[in-house]
Amino acid sequence: MKFLVLWMMAGCWCSLALGQRITGRIVDDKIQPVAFANVTLMNVKDSVSKSALTNADGQYAFTKPAPGNYKIMVSTVGFKQGSSAIISFQNKDITVPDLQLKADLKQLSDVVVTGRKPFLEQRADKLVVNVQGSILTAGATAAEVLRRVPGLRVLNDRVTMTGKSKLVIMVDGRLSQYQDMNALLRATPASSIDRIEVVSNPSAKFDAEGDAVINIIMKRKQAAGTSGTLGMDAGLNPYRLNEVAKGDKLYQRYNPSVSINHQSGKFNVFGNYSYLYRTQFEVNIIKRYNNNSFYDQRNYNPSNYGIHTYQAGADYKADSLNTIGIVVNGFNRNGSGNYQNGSIQTNQTNGSFIDAFASQNKQGNVNNNLALNLNWRHAFMKPGQSLSVDADAAHYLLKNTSNIRVYPFSGNVIHNYQRINNPVNFETLKADYVQPLSKNTKLETGAKTSFAKIDNNLLFEQNGVNDAGRTNRFIYRENINAAYANLYITYGKWDLQAGLRAEQTVANGTSNSKKVLQRNYVQFFPSLLLTRRLDSVFAITGQYSKRIGRPSYQQQNPFEVYLDPLTYTKGNPLLTPQTTHSGKLSLTYTGLPVLALSYDQISNIIVEYAPQQKTVIDANGVPRLVSFSVADNRAEAQNFSAQLNFPIKVGNVVDGYGGVITTLQRYAAIYQGGVFEAEKWSHVFFAQADIKMSSTWAAQFSAYYATPSQYEFIKAGRNSSVDAGIAKKILGNRAKISLSVSDMFFGDRTLGRIKYQDIDLHLKQYNDTRNIILAFTYNLGSKAIKPAEARTAGADEENKRVKTN
């Protein structure tokens, strides 16, 4: 019944806009789309007009105008006004030729832009989520924003995508400032994000790594004169933590930030700085059943950290065709944690006490990361022909220490000490070339080479004595060489994008000076995207891509990294890449997604949470049942997914969207001498609405509910979240103050169970997802009249594969 109602709502939405239209596109002097320009349809006879805003692709549309003669008038910040020739409309669809605007180089003073980007935009090859104008992003982190993106979920503090096995996260197309992308997302202020691009079937231009790509585009201004932004966010997070006997607790955060941009003549200089201080917690409850014993293990992990994030750069426009630039990114994190564990073993039959112990893991970590990008952009005299070159170098340093004390019910205290020293170095060189072949055809080619060296040095001591079985040094080197070609063709109502990418991977690893892996292989990755425009508002798109999922550096590392005496993770140097074939068919309406069907076939899956358990004898001679996970790839999977979206609109007051995603997940694996098979239907319901209360007051509401699902060996339980916020513009619309509450009912928790052979393990994990945040921003100087050019640096793939957890 729910699906029938959703289909009826979507049908009503689509039927409202059927009819004749006048459509077209606004471009600049480089034939690039001009987004959010004011477009007026002016009747030549009586001057009666309609108005609209262009979307991110520069497109506009006017529905059912009266028959007559019209002119298209365009105005937007940074360009001179433009107009079209007279067009005659007689109740038949008309596509107006591209209207090209000329730049207005005069510096403008205070300008108020009233157009607002839609939260969701479906483009031919990706879904764009515009988070910049969202009230709920104020004071949040990037990870908290991703929880609100349809189809994305956060499982065990790791971002996942419905129906996808391996998700790749990029930031600004550049080197990230941190090795572990999930840790980076938890530490990056969301107020610095402009938009998020979700690419479910990446083309050959992307590195072949990953089934799907999330590209987070950070804010950056490029304007004549001097401009900037000041910001301050603060939050309080109250919790009652009775499950770990901690009672009422209060956590907090604050985040001052500043950005500045100055453009004069041929030079543009920019920089930004942000400091985030946060106290937080994580609770992990693990219940295990084995041989008539019940193990109740409860972890409470309070921590705090301070993060300095900074960026500085400059562009020099040597002439009208050449621009060179330099960008430096830095990220410094200092943090500490006091991980507390209590474990009790009882008899399942009568509940009698068998054993117990407590442990404390005091952790400290320091991350000092620095990345440099040099770039050159050359535009040829022929419109659309261009060459871009990027050189990247980065040095990351992770230091982590753990002092683990185990307090048994009887016997001596056991003192374990673990230290990880992990320097990482990258160098990449990348070039991309675009050659128009005709008015409707262009060829894009490129090449890339990358080099990485990761030195993982782990020291493990027990009671002051070096444990040779756990102490290890793993050195990993990798070189990836790639080349690709993409062909774009437009023919009538058809759009075609066909590509092929070739990648050579050369990798070797040594553990304690002994070679444990060596690989050298070449693979080819085709991609295809075909769009058929049914009319001026509807289009159907079909996509196919082949992708690779390489094991991360840490997944190949044979270290045993301990959380507490009963839980650890271990790498596997014998891992091999997984391969995914993906297909997708989607229907869009005026650029917005309506219905999408997708299917993924994954072979040789890298299972990150392959469970094992064994009994070990501790330093006091007491046997203990230990659970651990080892990455393995002996599984196959099929994922089918269907997504339906519909609008939520009430006059000019409420504007939003809602939808449902239904997924069938199938896993099959030969593991530990047995066969694991799982099949599960799951559903995610989501909605978001913007409420315009006045010209200065606005509110926003967001919610989702996810039914139980299957994730590798984990049968995950339901979770949900409800967020709300209110904002007001002040000080002549130069400033904004907002108050928001995320996960107000504290339903965003991870529940799960692993039951395989003699393993019967129940999981419950939650952290400080409920936050009350007050945020203030103030805009300085003149408004931008020239948008920054999009850039893609060369080291995306290597960075996203370096992980630490």
Side-chain angles (χ1 to χ4, degrees), residues 32-49:
Q32 297 299 310
V34 178
F36 311 108
N38 295 302
V39 184
T40 302
L41 180 66
M42 183 74 69
N43 191 303
V44 176
K45 180 179 179 180
D46 54 17
S47 297
V48 174
S49 64

Side-chain angles (χ1 to χ4, degrees), residues 707-726:
T707 66
S709 60
Q710 188 75 36
Y711 183 74
E712 299 179 353
F713 283 83
I714 303 174
K715 184 170 290 186
R718 61 177 178 82
N719 61 335
S720 62
S721 180
V722 177
D723 311 331
I726 189 169

Side-chain angles (χ1 to χ4, degrees), residues 483-495:
Y484 77 92
N486 266 335
L487 181 65
Y488 302 84
I489 300 174
T490 298
Y491 181 78
K493 294 187 176 182
W494 292 90
D495 293 324

Side-chain angles (χ1 to χ4, degrees), residues 470-498:
R470 297 174 181 173
T471 296
N472 202 332
R473 186 174 186 182
F474 180 69
I475 298 177
Y476 181 86
R477 289 181 174 88
E478 182 180 75
N479 166 224
I480 297 178
N481 303 302
Y484 77 92
N486 266 335
L487 181 65
Y488 302 84
I489 300 174
T490 298
Y491 181 78
K493 294 187 176 182
W494 292 90
D495 293 324
L496 171 69
Q497 175 184 321

Side-chain angles (χ1 to χ4, degrees), residues 469-752:
R470 297 174 181 173
T471 296
N472 202 332
R473 186 174 186 182
F474 180 69
I475 298 177
Y476 181 86
R477 289 181 174 88
E478 182 180 75
N479 166 224
I480 297 178
N481 303 302
Y484 77 92
N486 266 335
L487 181 65
Y488 302 84
I489 300 174
T490 298
Y491 181 78
K493 294 187 176 182
W494 292 90
D495 293 324
L496 171 69
Q497 175 184 321
L500 180 65
R501 185 179 186 91
E503 289 192 352
Q504 178 196 27
T505 303
V506 182
N508 66 79
T510 60
S511 177
N512 286 334
S513 301
K514 180 181 178 182
K515 185 162 289 188
V516 292
L517 74 90
Q518 185 168 10
R519 298 195 178 100
N520 187 339
Y521 56 90
V522 177
Q523 289 182 293
F524 295 89
F525 304 94
S527 62
L528 180 67
L529 185 148
L530 186 63
T531 297
R532 174 66 161 86
R533 294 183 296 278
L534 303 178
D535 53 29
S536 59
V537 293
F538 282 102
I540 293 179
T541 298
Q543 297 171 263
Y544 164 77
S545 65
K546 176 188 175 183
R547 307 286 294 171
I548 190 175
R550 295 185 183 88
S552 71
Y553 307 121
Q554 291 298 333
Q555 286 174 332
Q556 297 174 97
N557 189 336
F559 285 4
E560 294 181 358
V561 180
Y562 283 74
L563 173 65
D564 59 55
L566 299 183
T567 313
Y568 69 90
T569 62
K570 184 178 181 180
N572 180 3
L574 301 180
L575 287 175
T576 57
Q578 67 181 40
T579 302
T580 302
H581 295 271
S582 297
K584 185 177 181 179
L585 184 66
S586 58
L587 172 69
T588 60
Y589 168 72
T590 61
L592 295 175
V594 178
L595 177 67
L597 305 174
S598 60
Y599 176 77
D600 287 6
Q601 171 72 45
I602 311 107
S603 58
N604 211 34
I605 288 181
I606 299 173
V607 179
E608 193 160 7
Y609 297 102
Q612 294 187 36
Q613 63 184 21
K614 63 181 180 181
T615 299
V616 299
I617 306 300
D618 70 11
N620 289 325
V622 178
R624 300 198 185 282
L625 183 68
V626 175
S627 295
F628 59 100
S629 62
V630 181
D632 208 328
N633 51 352
R634 299 183 180 183
E636 310 288 323
Q638 298 87 38
N639 295 324
F640 169 78
S641 181
Q643 180 171 348
L644 174 68
N645 300 319
F646 56 85
I648 300 174
K649 190 171 181 63
V650 180
N652 295 322
V653 177
V654 179
D655 189 11
Y657 66 91
V660 59
I661 303 173
T662 295
T663 303
L664 173 63
Q665 300 163 298
R666 291 174 175 167
Y667 287 92
I670 300 175
Y671 184 65
Q672 295 289 98
V675 177
F676 171 80
E677 291 183 312
E679 179 177 303
K680 182 70 176 177
W681 284 96
S682 60
H683 315 284
V684 179
F685 302 90
F686 55 88
Q688 177 166 310
D690 296 320
I691 305 170
K692 185 178 181 181
M693 303 159 66
S694 71
S695 59
T696 58
W697 282 94
Q700 193 171 61
F701 170 87
S702 177
Y704 85 90
Y705 175 83
T707 66
S709 60
Q710 188 75 36
Y711 183 74
E712 299 179 353
F713 283 83
I714 303 174
K715 184 170 290 186
R718 61 177 178 82
N719 61 335
S720 62
S721 180
V722 177
D723 311 331
I726 189 169
K728 178 175 174 55
K729 295 179 181 179
I730 57 177
L731 302 178
N733 291 342
R734 275 189 170 272
K736 182 171 71 173
I737 186 168
S738 64
L739 179 66
S740 63
V741 182
S742 63
D743 193 19
M744 60 177 63
F745 300 113
F746 201 25
D748 199 353
R749 307 182 179 202
T750 298
L751 305 172

